[in-house]
Amino acid sequence: MRLTLSVIKADIGGFVGHSSVHKDVLAKVREVAEEGKDKGIIRDLSVLVCGDDIALVMTHTKGVDSSEVHELAWNAFKEGTEVAKKLKMYGAGQDLLAEAFSGNVKGMGPGIAEMEFVERKSEPVIVFFADKTSPSAWNLPLYEMFADPMNTAGLVIDPSMHEGFIFDVMDAYTGMGIQLKTPEELYDLLVFIGATSRYVVRAVYRKSDGEIAAAASTQKLSFMAGRYVGKDDPVLIVRAQSGFPAVGEILEPFARPWLVEGWMRGSHTGPLMPVAFKNAKPTRFDGPPRVIAAGYQIADGYLIGPSDLFDDPAFDHAREECNKMSDILRRQGIFEPHRLPPEEMEYTTLPKVLEKLKDRFKLVETERPKFSSEGEIAE
Ligand SMILES: [Mg+2]
């Protein structure tokens, strides 16, 4: 039996500000999605929250891009939005860009990660879910999980992984894709995925048999709406064990924090802090960016879990490190590199400020401007 695992997420209103989700909004989303389970649209459901985002983790047999499953998620978020609007949640319905559902939630606002596979004898999967960042945040950990033997011992030791993996990479500006094989094209791969402002890993496949190993949400909200409508906080599905990296190899990159884009107003760089579910509530300067890891064993299409995988003192050091990194970056205030460079700010509210000042620019003269005693520029 081919099983599909679909994770569809959206921010339909924050409580308070951008920090988390109100219980009544969550309850409505869950209720509508559960009805879909009762009707047989999906087999099983698990609901996750990270910051102001809600993710529906769903299993079914309808394949990827199933309009029935997408519509269920759309309706759940739509009805949740009604509750969010009533409670005047912050940015209620902000990720629902269309008025009505039209066959597929792609391009309509919510983020989607999906994969189809035949359930193995034992099928451990991890769903990563991050807030205050973007899909390219997964580039670095995916590289380490699937292509770096210093992180993933299985690439060396396990004959079923020894041939390596294929990375499916997308150019977020053009929508064009390229597939690169590791280890032989590793340096070519890094040319692209190291440029996180532009290139995003969409999926990873095992080279020996083409089996799907990982799938990420790659929707760029800012590009879709043509204006800034919120951060495209991403989800990532990774299959573990028996021909894939071990659970610990998949989690290990998060023990060494790195910097991602998306903190405060989607306009700042910050460390991605791995946290337990209960701590996925970013409040310091609306951050720092958070990531949770929900582990499941899939049994006959049912989601056994989630297990809260970052709820482990072994990640305390990473969290302390993130706090130190945050202090260093916050010292920069509005200055780059804490603030993102101008190209990255194009879809924020900053262009409105620039518009107001654009006529004040004059060709730079060799002589300095002269000021009157009132501080006005003298003609
Ligand atoms: Mg968010």
Side-chain angles (χ1 to χ4, degrees), residues 11 18 50-53 131-132 231 233:
D11 172 353
H18 289 296
C50 187
D52 51 5
D53 291 78
D131 186 41
K132 310 292 180 264
K231 292 161 287 289
D233 301 316

Side-chain angles (χ1 to χ4, degrees), residues 121-176:
K121 209 169 92 190
S122 179
E123 185 66 62
V125 298
I126 301 173
V127 175
F128 292 97
F129 188 13
D131 186 41
K132 310 292 180 264
T133 185
S134 66
S136 62
W138 308 130
N139 287 11
L140 186 152
L142 282 170
Y143 152 67
E144 290 191 331
M145 288 172 209
F146 291 100
D148 181 3
M150 295 296 280
N151 178 84
T152 300
L155 292 167
V156 177
I157 294 167
D158 183 348
S160 65
M161 287 170 65
H162 199 78
E163 277 186 53
F165 290 87
I166 301 168
F167 285 69
D168 182 15
V169 178
M170 186 178 77
D171 179 340
Y173 284 75
T174 63
M176 306 281 275

